[in-house]
Amino acid sequence: MRRKIHEGIQAVLQEQPACASQKGLEYCDRLFALERDYTKLTLEERRVKRLEQSKAVTDAFFAWASNTPALPKSALGRALHYALEQRPLLETFYLDGRLEISNNMAERSIKQFVIGRKNWLFSCSPKGAETSAVIYSIIERAKENHLKPYEYLKYILENMPNTTPERYHILLPWSKEILCCCKLKGQPDSMAGDNDESCAPASGAGLNDSAER
């Protein structure tokens, strides 16, 4: 949303230094400034602070967007239309303190995949492309949880065949078993690692019932 507002400013900057888009950018920057203030809060505290402080800024922004005249095909007009159409999605981050206000993290995660997109022309089939996307998702999730991607893939490929579906949670990147064998040195534990699995090897833990017997 902020990017589209900024494009509206760039479109008329030389002719109108104090253009209408500037007001929208100020609302966006205020929201990001508040997010920086919430950095050291717990997830629940961040959710509460957003409702107490950020929500008022968001409401003011959408009130401005609803009452600002702009030609439909102008840069500002397109930005305003996008904001009003996407309002429910743009306000999703109020639902949970774990959600980020920006999609920058997601864009950084897919950057390598986008750089190599010409290679994906050789997936040969939709199923092959889907498989490629699944593998990249697993790798990027491992990176976000400070794991060694190769070691993580090796671990789940070796242990998943002998793990029952109800025990798949021990193969998730924030599992304590995974952190014990695949975590990068010097990295903190994932914030989501709240299960009570031990650091014992997976053999004997999570095997199917017939194997246990």
Side-chain angles (χ1 to χ4, degrees), residues 145-148 151-152 155-156 159 167-184 187-202 205:
N145 284 274
H146 311 298
L147 303 180
K148 302 173 185 176
E151 295 296 332
Y152 179 55
Y155 185 94
I156 59 177
N159 290 280
R167 297 278 293 170
Y168 279 169
H169 65 276
I170 69 172
L171 301 176
L172 295 175
W174 46 82
S175 163
K176 288 184 179 179
E177 290 189 7
I178 297 296
L179 292 174
C180 285
C181 66
C182 305
K183 188 175 69 172
L184 290 169
Q187 292 294 337
D189 289 347
S190 168
M191 70 178 182
D194 57 358
N195 63 59
D196 58 357
E197 303 295 336
S198 69
C199 285

Side-chain angles (χ1 to χ4, degrees), residues 36-172:
R36 289 192 288 273
D37 293 340
Y38 307 153
T39 302
K40 296 184 179 181
L41 300 180
T42 66
L43 298 178
E44 179 58 21
E45 288 173 341
R46 180 160 77 157
R47 186 187 70 83
V48 172
K49 281 293 184 181
R50 283 171 169 174
L51 294 175
E52 290 177 351
Q53 301 179 8
S54 302
K55 191 67 166 66
V57 179
T58 304
D59 291 343
F61 168 79
F62 284 111
W64 166 81
S66 300
N67 295 287
T68 298
L71 295 174
K73 293 187 178 181
S74 66
L76 176 58
R78 292 194 298 269
L80 296 177
H81 176 75
Y82 176 84
L84 297 174
E85 286 288 311
Q86 300 295 320
R87 180 172 184 175
L89 300 179
L90 292 171
E91 293 185 312
T92 301
F93 74 104
Y94 287 120
L95 300 178
D96 194 314
R98 292 174 296 179
L99 300 177
E100 298 294 335
I101 190 175
S102 167
N103 65 346
N104 288 340
M105 184 183 295
E107 291 193 355
R108 286 196 300 270
S109 295
I110 66 173
K111 184 176 181 180
Q112 294 184 31
F113 191 82
V114 173
I115 290 175
R117 60 184 175 271
K118 289 186 178 180
N119 294 328
W120 320 143
L121 296 174
F122 302 97
S123 293
C124 298
S125 69
K127 187 173 180 61
E130 182 179 353
T131 301
S132 176
V134 169
I135 293 173
Y136 262 84
S137 296
I138 293 173
I139 292 173
E140 292 303 325
R141 176 55 61 190
K143 291 179 180 178
E144 291 297 331
N145 284 274
H146 311 298
L147 303 180
K148 302 173 185 176
Y150 174 81
E151 295 296 332
Y152 179 55
L153 284 173
K154 182 174 181 290
Y155 185 94
I156 59 177
L157 289 174
E158 289 177 347
N159 290 280
M160 193 170 183
N162 295 320
T163 304
T164 57
E166 59 269 19
R167 297 278 293 170
Y168 279 169
H169 65 276
I170 69 172
L171 301 176
L172 295 175

